[in-house]
């Protein structure tokens, strides 16, 4: 009887470890919830460079297809 109890505990511990691994896998798989960013880091660097060269915000809006506030936010970063 005691041996059966120990075996059952070991099985439950093994299942618990497997569940923990599965939870980590699911969290990593679905890490990026929510709305996607309009501009990536490369776009932000390019916007900063173009603005320093004298490109207007209006022209940057047209190039990247986003709003004025998105361009201004990118320039603040």
């Amino acid at each position: 009887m005691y041996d059966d109890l120990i075996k059952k505990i070991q099985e439950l511990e093994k299942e618990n470890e497997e569940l923990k691994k599965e939870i980590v896998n699911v969290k990593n798989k679905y890490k990026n919830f929510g709305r996607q960013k309009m501009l990536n880091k490369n776009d932000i660097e390019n916007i900063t460079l173009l603005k320093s060269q004298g490109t207007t915000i209006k022209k940057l809006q047209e190039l990247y297809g986003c709003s004025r506030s998105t361009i201004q936010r990118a320039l603040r970063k």
Side-chain angles (χ1 to χ4, degrees):
M1 183 171 163
Y2 184 70
D3 291 335
D4 292 337
L5 186 59
I6 290 175
K7 288 180 183 178
K8 189 66 174 174
I9 290 172
Q10 288 173 342
E11 289 175 17
L12 289 173
E13 287 175 348
K14 184 179 178 184
E15 287 178 21
N16 189 25
E17 290 299 318
E18 291 172 358
L19 285 174
K20 284 182 181 179
K21 289 178 184 176
E22 186 64 27
I23 288 170
V24 169
N25 288 338
V26 169
K27 282 184 179 180
N28 287 337
K29 183 178 179 183
Y30 297 105
K31 203 175 201 178
N32 298 325
F33 279 117
R35 188 177 178 132
Q36 296 292 319
K37 301 280 185 195
M38 186 73 180
L39 303 170
N40 60 33
K41 290 181 182 180
N42 191 30
D43 290 338
I44 293 171
E45 289 174 6
N46 288 337
I47 287 171
T48 305
L49 178 65
L50 289 170
K51 183 64 177 159
S52 68
Q53 293 174 351
T55 307
T56 63
I57 290 179
K58 184 84 168 168
K59 184 65 176 172
L60 292 171
Q61 280 179 254
E62 293 170 4
L63 286 172
Y64 288 94
C66 56
S67 68
R68 178 184 183 106
S69 61
T70 301
I71 298 294
Q72 290 173 333
R73 192 177 315 113
L75 292 170
R76 277 185 252 135
K77 290 184 178 184

